[in-house]
Amino acid sequence: TSPAASVATSALTATHVALAVWRQSYLGIELDVARNLVSIVVYALAVLLTTAIDSEMRALRARREMQVAVHEPLLQAHDDMHQGVLISEGARPVYASDGLLRLTGWTRDEVMRLPSVFDLVPEDERSEAIERTRALPAEGGLVTKAIRCRDGRRIEVEVALRRYRHDGHDRSVAIVRDVTARQRTLEELARMQRLDSLGALAGGIAHDFNNLLAVILNNAHLALARADGEKLRTKLEG
């Protein structure tokens, strides 16, 4: 426990005991030792819990400020290129750039509270994303995955992952780039190529069929020129 927590717990305990003694002396309310002991323990646990949460939040802010100070120029460059940066220790996020927040719509505190960076991946693709990330070389690599945005949208991103060691801990820095628009463009291009191939096939068939029709029509006209009977001419014209 921190000194501040110890002081606060001692102060609360002393205050509670003094209040219990005053109630017995001046109001005639009998001192219930067991009940007062339970109250003191509850107060102490509440103080310890509050202090622990406050300490964790301060440590979180300190880590974030340190990352910003160290990597600010690089992070700013990626933000200018409309790319997001996500730094994780193990799987736990320790830094999220403004570009990533704009891309996904999440707040920095929401991202930093995630138990794992893979919580940003849609649940139905999470296992596959973890497997593909683990299959990358030791130093990192490039992987494409989906990310769920705060408003429920689902976007395709290209992640350039780089692993490194920092203060004895395994860390990863991920450069995240939205490729949803590029994916749509590629799909549209593939669709146009399929239509173009189908058109070329249909044109080839029509051309070959037209050649056959030309031979039939020319021979029919020659036969008409030499036909004597009306019945034969009617059949040839048909």
Side-chain angles (χ1 to χ4, degrees):
T1 60
S2 65
S6 300
V7 171
T9 304
S10 301
L12 278 172
T13 302
T15 302
H16 190 79
V17 171
L19 182 60
V21 171
W22 179 83
R23 290 170 64 190
Q24 183 178 22
S25 300
Y26 293 95
L27 301 179
I29 300 175
E30 185 178 354
L31 178 64
D32 188 338
V33 177
R35 182 176 178 181
N36 280 279
L37 184 59
V38 169
S39 299
I40 290 171
V41 171
V42 171
Y43 292 155
L45 288 175
V47 169
L48 291 175
L49 182 60
T50 303
T51 305
I53 293 174
D54 182 63
S55 175
E56 177 66 19
M57 291 302 295
R58 280 188 281 108
L60 194 65
R61 283 193 294 270
R63 286 200 304 270
R64 189 172 68 196
E65 289 168 2
M66 179 192 68
Q67 291 295 334
V68 172
V70 173
H71 301 290
E72 184 66 32
L74 178 62
L75 299 176
Q76 184 60 48
H78 284 293
D79 282 348
D80 292 342
M81 291 187 290
H82 304 289
Q83 296 175 341
V85 179
L86 181 62
I87 300 175
S88 58
E89 191 170 281
R92 183 184 179 187
V94 295
Y95 177 80
S97 74
D98 292 337
L100 182 77
L101 303 179
R102 284 195 299 269
L103 184 66
T104 62
W106 297 103
T107 66
R108 182 167 281 109
D109 285 339
E110 286 171 336
V111 174
M112 299 293 280
R113 288 195 186 106
L114 293 175
S116 169
V117 293
F118 291 103
D119 289 336
L120 289 170
V121 179
E123 191 172 355
D124 58 333
E125 297 185 23
R126 200 166 295 165
S127 299
E128 183 184 352
I130 293 173
E131 290 298 324
R132 282 191 283 126
T133 303
R134 286 177 178 169
L136 292 174
E139 68 277 7
L142 194 67
V143 64
T144 303
K145 63 181 73 173
I147 281 186
R148 59 187 182 93
C149 299
R150 198 175 192 274
D151 59 5
R153 287 182 302 114
R154 181 192 190 107
I155 60 174
E156 289 291 324
V157 295
E158 191 175 71
V159 181
L161 189 70
R162 194 70 177 173
R163 299 188 180 103
Y164 64 100
R165 295 280 293 177
H166 178 78
D167 289 340
H169 298 286
D170 291 325
R171 282 196 173 185
S172 300
V173 57
I175 310 300
V176 183
R177 184 159 61 97
D178 185 5
V179 294
T180 306
R182 188 183 74 179
Q183 201 71 19
R184 288 201 196 102
T185 302
L186 290 174
E187 289 173 0
E188 183 66 20
L189 179 62
R191 189 178 72 85
M192 291 176 65
Q193 288 174 338
R194 287 196 298 271
L195 288 175
D196 187 58
S197 299
L198 184 60
L201 176 63
I205 293 174
H207 181 73
D208 290 343
F209 189 57
N210 189 60
N211 290 339
L212 294 174
L213 288 176
V215 173
I216 294 170
L217 288 171
N218 287 335
N219 279 280
H221 283 300
L222 290 173
L224 275 171
R226 296 184 180 184
D228 294 330
E230 187 64 28
K231 186 175 181 181
L232 179 60
R233 288 183 61 84
T234 302
K235 289 186 182 249
L236 286 170
E237 287 173 353

